[in-house]
Amino acid sequence: MIAYFCMVSGEGWSRRNAEAAQERDALANSSSPVIAAFKVFQQELDTRHDKYERLVKISRDITIESKRSIFLLHRVTNIPDPEVVLNEAESKLDGVRQKIGQIAEELRGEDIYQFHRAFTPGIQEYVEAITFLHYIRHRSLISLEEINAKLVFMKTGNADPKGLAEAPPSSAHVLTFQVTPADYLLGVADLTGELMRLCIGSVGNGDIDTPFQLSQFLRQIHDGFSYIGNTGPYEVSKKLHTLRQSLGKVEDACYTLRVRGSEIPKHMLADVFCTRTTHMDTEEGVV
């Protein structure tokens, strides 16, 4: 019994000593300049991480809406009045630009390249959608300057970059977002896949002129990427292979139209091209 009480009293003494030591450490830490500095670092890192996550979510929304615009634009080959689809797609892209304005708001006063990986997928998808719309409407490639000219936003409220000074609610300031050349090139590289699908859809509707226009346009894009070579971003060289595949499929469709177009009924041309495309993908290990 005496041993038991000694053990219990010893544990209580040890626990009180540990609590006293923790209080002394807390008191020392609160007055330590090192601990205070690291608390500031912790707050900065938490703030940066939260901003990064918000940018990732906005980028996902941009990707989803841009893909919907691309799917909508593929309907131009199936309706008598393409302008209706083009205007609807333009309206959807206006909503996408508003989300890009949210990115510009988040990046205000920040180094864009510290957060670039968070939003680059959405920006590339937007570039793909806007270039696809511009090609259908004007049969040309929209420039990087024209894309950036549309990314100017008027914002109301706090105009201080760090949020240190509260601005009057009625004040307005201009925000701009600049698509980087790398994101522009990657978006154009993805555009070639949509143009290949547009080619097959056009042939299925009896349009035998569009494939030859697309073939010439894709050849010009391919030549432009070839000039870049290995001097551009790593991702560009990776997508160059897909670009060549799309160009090869369009050229194969043009060859079939030129050589066998008179032998195959127009309503069967799309099936022939889809079969040949699947066969080409199987040989290259895509399927």
Coordinates of all heavy atoms in Angstrom, one line a residue, residues 26 29-30 37 52 77-78 101-102 121 124 147 150 177 191 193 207 219 243 255-256 275 280:
A26 N 6.2 28.1 -23.0 CA 5.3 29.0 -23.7 C 5.6 30.4 -23.5 O 5.5 31.3 -24.4 CB 3.8 28.7 -23.2
N29 N 8.7 31.1 -25.4 CA 8.4 31.2 -26.9 C 7.7 32.5 -27.2 O 7.9 33.0 -28.3 CB 7.6 30.0 -27.3 CG 8.4 28.7 -27.2 OD1 9.6 28.7 -27.2 ND2 7.7 27.6 -27.2
S30 N 6.8 32.9 -26.4 CA 6.0 34.2 -26.7 C 6.9 35.4 -26.8 O 6.6 36.3 -27.5 CB 4.9 34.4 -25.7 OG 5.5 34.6 -24.4
A37 N 9.1 35.4 -35.5 CA 9.4 35.5 -37.0 C 8.8 34.3 -37.7 O 8.2 34.5 -38.8 CB 10.9 35.6 -37.2
Y52 N -3.5 29.9 -53.6 CA -3.2 28.9 -54.6 C -4.4 28.0 -54.9 O -4.8 27.7 -56.0 CB -2.0 28.1 -54.2 CG -1.4 27.2 -55.3 CD1 -0.4 27.6 -56.1 CD2 -1.9 25.9 -55.5 CE1 0.1 26.8 -57.1 CE2 -1.4 25.1 -56.4 CZ -0.4 25.5 -57.3 OH 0.1 24.7 -58.2
T77 N -21.6 22.7 -87.9 CA -21.7 21.9 -89.1 C -23.0 21.2 -89.3 O -23.3 20.6 -90.4 CB -20.6 20.8 -89.2 OG1 -20.8 19.9 -88.0 CG2 -19.2 21.4 -89.1
N78 N -23.9 21.3 -88.3 CA -25.2 20.6 -88.3 C -26.4 21.5 -88.4 O -27.5 21.0 -88.5 CB -25.3 19.7 -87.1 CG -24.2 18.7 -87.0 OD1 -23.7 18.2 -88.0 ND2 -23.7 18.5 -85.8
G101 N -11.2 37.3 -64.8 CA -11.1 38.5 -64.0 C -10.9 38.2 -62.5 O -10.2 39.0 -61.8
Q102 N -11.5 37.1 -62.1 CA -11.3 36.7 -60.7 C -9.8 36.3 -60.4 O -9.2 36.6 -59.4 CB -12.2 35.6 -60.3 CG -13.7 35.9 -60.4 CD -14.6 34.7 -60.1 OE1 -14.1 33.7 -59.5 NE2 -15.8 34.8 -60.5
P121 N -3.8 25.4 -66.7 CA -4.7 24.5 -67.5 C -6.0 25.2 -67.9 O -6.4 25.0 -69.1 CB -5.0 23.4 -66.5 CG -3.9 23.4 -65.5 CD -3.6 24.8 -65.3
Q124 N -5.1 27.7 -70.8 CA -4.9 27.0 -72.1 C -6.2 26.6 -72.7 O -6.4 26.7 -74.0 CB -4.0 25.8 -71.8 CG -2.6 26.1 -71.4 CD -1.7 24.9 -71.1 OE1 -2.0 23.8 -71.6 NE2 -0.8 25.0 -70.3
I147 N -6.2 38.4 -78.0 CA -6.7 37.7 -76.8 C -6.5 38.6 -75.5 O -7.5 38.7 -74.7 CB -6.0 36.3 -76.6 CG1 -6.4 35.4 -77.8 CG2 -6.4 35.7 -75.3 CD1 -5.7 34.1 -77.7
K150 N -8.9 41.6 -74.8 CA -10.2 41.3 -74.2 C -10.2 41.0 -72.7 O -11.3 40.8 -72.1 CB -10.9 40.1 -75.0 CG -11.1 40.4 -76.4 CD -11.9 39.2 -77.1 CE -12.2 39.4 -78.5 NZ -12.9 38.3 -79.2
F177 N -5.2 41.0 -67.3 CA -4.6 39.7 -67.3 C -3.9 39.5 -68.6 O -4.5 39.6 -69.7 CB -5.7 38.6 -67.0 CG -5.1 37.3 -66.9 CD1 -4.7 36.8 -65.6 CD2 -4.9 36.4 -68.0 CE1 -4.1 35.5 -65.5 CE2 -4.4 35.2 -67.8 CZ -4.0 34.7 -66.6
L191 N -5.8 23.3 -80.2 CA -6.7 23.7 -81.2 C -6.7 22.7 -82.4 O -7.8 22.5 -83.0 CB -6.5 25.1 -81.6 CG -7.2 25.6 -82.9 CD1 -8.7 25.7 -82.6 CD2 -6.6 26.9 -83.4
G193 N -6.5 19.6 -82.6 CA -7.3 18.4 -82.4 C -8.8 18.8 -82.7 O -9.5 18.0 -83.3
D207 N -19.7 18.7 -96.9 CA -18.8 19.9 -97.2 C -17.4 19.4 -97.5 O -16.7 19.0 -96.6 CB -18.8 20.8 -95.9 CG -18.0 22.1 -96.2 OD1 -17.5 22.2 -97.3 OD2 -17.8 22.9 -95.2
R219 N -1.2 23.0 -91.7 CA 0.2 23.0 -92.2 C 0.9 24.2 -91.8 O 2.1 24.2 -91.5 CB 0.1 22.8 -93.8 CG 1.5 22.9 -94.4 CD 2.5 21.9 -93.9 NE 2.1 20.5 -94.1 CZ 2.8 19.4 -93.7 NH1 3.9 19.6 -93.0 NH2 2.4 18.2 -93.9
L243 N 0.0 17.3 -82.6 CA -0.3 18.2 -83.7 C 0.0 17.5 -85.0 O -0.8 17.6 -86.0 CB 0.6 19.5 -83.6 CG 0.3 20.7 -84.5 CD1 0.9 21.9 -83.9 CD2 0.9 20.5 -85.9
Y255 N -6.8 13.5 -99.0 CA -6.3 12.5 -100.0 C -7.5 11.6 -100.4 O -7.7 11.3 -101.6 CB -5.2 11.7 -99.4 CG -4.8 10.5 -100.3 CD1 -4.0 10.6 -101.4 CD2 -5.3 9.2 -100.0 CE1 -3.7 9.5 -102.2 CE2 -5.0 8.1 -100.7 CZ -4.2 8.2 -101.8 OH -3.9 7.2 -102.6
T256 N -8.3 11.1 -99.4 CA -9.4 10.2 -99.8 C -10.4 11.0 -100.6 O -11.0 10.4 -101.5 CB -10.0 9.7 -98.5 OG1 -9.0 9.0 -97.7 CG2 -11.1 8.7 -98.8
T275 N -13.3 5.3 -89.6 CA -12.7 4.0 -89.6 C -11.2 4.1 -89.9 O -10.4 3.5 -89.2 CB -13.3 3.1 -90.7 OG1 -14.7 3.0 -90.5 CG2 -12.7 1.7 -90.7
M280 N -5.5 4.3 -87.9 CA -4.2 5.0 -87.7 C -3.9 5.1 -86.2 O -2.7 4.9 -85.8 CB -4.4 6.4 -88.3 CG -4.4 6.4 -89.8 SD -4.8 8.1 -90.4 CE -3.4 9.0 -89.8

